[in-house]
Amino acid sequence: MSIPKRAAIGLAATVTALIMTACSSNGSSGSSNGSTGGAASTTTTSGAQAAPSTAAADWSRNPDQTSTALKAGLPMLGSEMLQVHYHAHLDVIVDGKTVTVPQYIGIDENAQTITALHTHDTSGVMHIESAKDTPFKLGQFFTEWGQPLSATQVGPVAIGGTEALHVIVNGKEITGDPAQYVLKAHDEIAVWVGAKGQTPQVPSSYNFPPGL
C-alpha cells in the first residue's frame, strides 16, 4: 500500500474511533473542521476544503518532491516516524482570495517516501511526524511546496509597491523573516498579502479534527 494511502487510512481510522467514543460518552457531535476567528476574523464553512485562488499566479506543488525536500533540508524517509507528532494549520490569502495548500507536500508518490513535514490533503493541515524533536520552520514547508517565502516574495507574488505582507499566528502578527518562524502544535498561521493600509481579515484559530 502506498504511503499516501496508508497514512490516509490510518488517520481516518483514528479520527473515526475518537468521534464514535465521544458520541457514545456524551451524545454530542465533535467539533467540525474549519478555521475560526475573533471579531476581526473570517471563518470557513465547517468541513469544507479551502477554496482555490482564481488568480493567474501558479501556486502548484512542485512534482519533484525529493528535490524540494533536499532544498528544504528535510530527508526523505521510507515511513512516517511518530515519536514526535503534532499539527499546525496554514492559510494563505492573497488579495482576498484563499490559496489552496496542495496535498502531498513532502511526499514523493513515485519513490514512496515522505518527509517529517508534509500534507495529506488540501485542508491546510501540516503534519509534523518526526523521530526527533527538532524545529521545523515555515520556510521549509514553502520550499518543499516549491514556492518562495520571504519579506519580498510569497509564492509567485512579489511584495512591494502597493502590496503588503502580514504573517499572523494565532491572531498575533509576527515580525522578521517569515521563513524562520518555527512551527508549534496547533498553530493557526495566516500568510496574508493585500493592499498597504488594509487590515487583514484572517482566522485566529483552527478547529482541528479529533485526534490531530
Side-chain angles (χ1 to χ4, degrees):
M1 184 180 294
S2 68
I3 282 179
K5 287 183 178 178
R6 184 167 66 245
I9 289 172
L11 179 61
T14 300
V15 171
T16 299
L18 287 168
I19 290 174
M20 291 177 67
T21 301
C23 290
S24 62
S25 63
N26 59 30
S28 62
S29 60
S31 297
S32 298
N33 188 4
S35 297
T36 60
S41 300
T42 59
T43 58
T44 60
T45 303
S46 179
Q49 299 294 336
S53 171
T54 57
D58 183 9
W59 287 91
S60 61
R61 161 188 173 271
N62 188 319
D64 187 355
Q65 284 294 291
T66 294
S67 174
T68 58
L70 180 63
K71 292 178 182 177
L74 297 170
M76 279 290 185
L77 308 170
S79 63
E80 294 170 297
M81 302 294 177
L82 300 177
Q83 288 85 344
V84 177
H85 189 191
Y86 57 96
H87 306 85
H89 184 263
L90 174 65
D91 282 300
V92 179
I93 302 168
V94 178
D95 294 331
K97 296 181 176 65
T98 301
V99 173
T100 298
V101 178
Q103 66 178 352
Y104 302 157
I105 291 174
I107 296 177
D108 188 324
E109 297 170 88
N110 292 327
Q112 288 296 288
T113 52
I114 189 169
T115 71
L117 175 60
H118 55 267
T119 64
H120 292 300
D121 53 35
T122 58
S123 65
V125 172
M126 297 177 285
H127 296 250
I128 296 90
E129 298 165 356
S130 174
K132 297 180 180 179
D133 189 12
T134 57
F136 294 94
K137 298 179 180 180
L138 185 60
Q140 289 178 294
F141 183 78
F142 271 79
T143 299
E144 284 188 294
W145 183 348
Q147 302 290 349
L149 176 66
S150 70
T152 59
Q153 185 85 20
V154 179
V157 181
I159 308 300
T162 61
E163 297 280 88
L165 167 65
H166 297 273
V167 179
I168 300 169
V169 180
N170 305 324
K172 297 181 179 180
E173 183 161 358
I174 64 170
T175 58
D177 183 357
Q180 296 303 311
Y181 179 76
V182 176
L183 305 176
K184 301 177 183 63
H186 283 191
D187 271 346
E188 161 54 34
I189 303 170
V191 176
W192 183 95
V193 177
K196 286 183 178 178
Q198 184 178 350
T199 300
Q201 301 292 306
V202 300
S204 59
S205 63
Y206 182 78
N207 287 333
F208 289 86
L212 295 187

